[in-house]
Amino acid sequence: MTVAGGILNNASGSAITLFNNNVQNWTGNFAWAGSNDLNLGNGAVTLGANRAISFLNGNISSQVSGSGALTVGGVIADGGANYSLTVGNAGRINTQTVVLGNTANTYGGGTVIESGVVQAAGIGSLGAAGQNVRVNSGATLSAAYAIDQATLQKLTSNSTGSVALAGVNSSNNLDFSSAGVNLPVSLGATGTATYSGTLTPQGQTYRLGGGFGTLNMTNVLGDVNAAPTALVVGSGGSSGTVNLNAAGTYSGGTTVTGIPGSTA
C-alpha cells in the first residue's frame, strides 16, 4: 500500500482495523480526517523522506472536538536514512490522536509533535534512541505505559507542551530538573489516570495538566530546595483536569491558565 499524499479517513460510521497487514510505503505527506478510528494494521511502514501527518479542522482560536484515532501498528523504518516524523499542525489546537503502536520503530530523524496527541506504546515507539522528540506548546506526548524518567529523557530541551499518562497509572519518580532534562513541560493525562510517584519540578514551578484528560495526583506537592514553589495548571497549551488528592505544602501559589477546559 502506497500513501502518496492527500487525505486519509474512515467515514464508515464505526472503527476499522486492516487485518491483512499491508506493507506501507509513505511516499508523501498526508492528512488524517478522523471521522472514525482507523487501525492500519501491523504491516511494516517505510518512510520515503521526512514525513508529516497533519490534522484536518485545526483551529487557531478554539479547540476542536475529538476525532477518531489513527493507529500505526507496524514497524516504522527509514532504511537508515534518518528521516523524521512530524504530527499535527503548527500553531493550531487539535485533539486528534496518532497512535504509534509498535515498540520497535527504527526511523532515526526524530519526532516532532506540533499539535494533537501522539500516543506511544513504549519508548521504542518513538524511533531511534536519543533525545529526539520535540513536543510543542498545545501538543501532547501520551504514554500508554507507566510513564518514567526515560520518557522525559527523550524530549528535546525546546519542548514546551505536555507529557501525559494515557489511562495508565504510574508510581515512577519523575524529575523535570535533572541533568539532560530540565524541561518546562506539563504533566497531564489522556483519559483518566493517577500519578503517585515523587514529582520534582523544573526550578520552582510544578506544571500540571494538558492532554485533554483527567490527572489524579495522590502525592504531596511541597516547596523545593526550601524555597517557595508554585503550581501552574495548563502551561503546556492544552486543556485538562487535575485533581489534587493530597494537601499540598507548596507556598508559591497556584495559577490556572486561560486554556479552555483547564481546571484544578
Side-chain angles (χ1 to χ4, degrees):
M1 181 172 72
T2 298
V3 181
I7 299 171
L8 187 64
N9 193 23
N10 169 17
S12 70
S14 59
I16 289 178
T17 297
L18 304 182
F19 290 108
N20 50 357
N21 298 325
N22 295 303
V23 172
Q24 302 165 46
N25 293 306
W26 291 5
T27 62
N29 301 331
F30 61 94
W32 167 237
S35 297
N36 301 279
D37 291 351
L38 175 62
N39 187 325
L40 295 177
N42 297 326
V45 176
T46 300
L47 304 182
N50 295 330
R51 286 289 163 251
I53 304 173
S54 60
F55 298 125
L56 292 187
N57 303 321
N59 193 301
I60 293 175
S61 60
S62 63
Q63 294 183 358
V64 178
S65 59
S67 293
L70 176 67
T71 298
V72 184
V75 172
I76 304 175
D78 58 14
N82 289 327
Y83 292 140
S84 64
L85 178 64
T86 298
V87 176
N89 309 339
R92 300 296 180 102
I93 300 175
N94 299 90
T95 58
Q96 293 96 326
T97 298
V98 170
V99 178
L100 302 180
N102 198 295
T103 59
N105 291 333
T106 59
Y107 65 94
T111 307
V112 178
I113 310 174
E114 295 280 16
S115 67
V117 177
V118 169
Q119 179 178 304
I123 288 293
S125 302
L126 299 168
Q131 193 173 18
N132 54 14
V133 178
R134 188 174 85 231
V135 185
N136 290 336
S137 180
T140 301
L141 170 62
S142 182
Y145 55 92
I147 195 169
D148 54 14
Q149 191 66 20
T151 308
L152 301 186
Q153 291 169 343
K154 285 290 292 181
L155 303 185
T156 60
S157 60
N158 56 347
S159 293
T160 55
S162 300
V163 292
L165 288 69
V168 179
N169 300 337
S170 177
S171 60
N172 294 318
N173 297 338
L174 296 176
D175 186 349
F176 285 81
S177 67
S178 66
V181 179
N182 196 31
L183 293 168
V185 170
S186 187
L187 178 66
T190 57
T192 299
T194 297
Y195 179 71
S196 58
T198 298
L199 181 65
T200 303
Q202 184 207 38
Q204 303 305 128
T205 305
Y206 294 103
R207 296 175 175 86
L208 298 177
F212 311 105
T214 298
L215 176 66
N216 296 308
M217 299 287 293
T218 62
N219 48 358
V220 175
L221 302 182
D223 286 338
V224 177
N225 298 322
T229 302
L231 168 63
V232 177
V233 176
S235 66
S238 61
S239 67
T241 297
V242 178
N243 293 322
L244 302 177
N245 297 316
T249 60
Y250 62 94
S251 62
T254 302
T255 301
V256 179
T257 68
I259 299 297
S262 294
T263 60

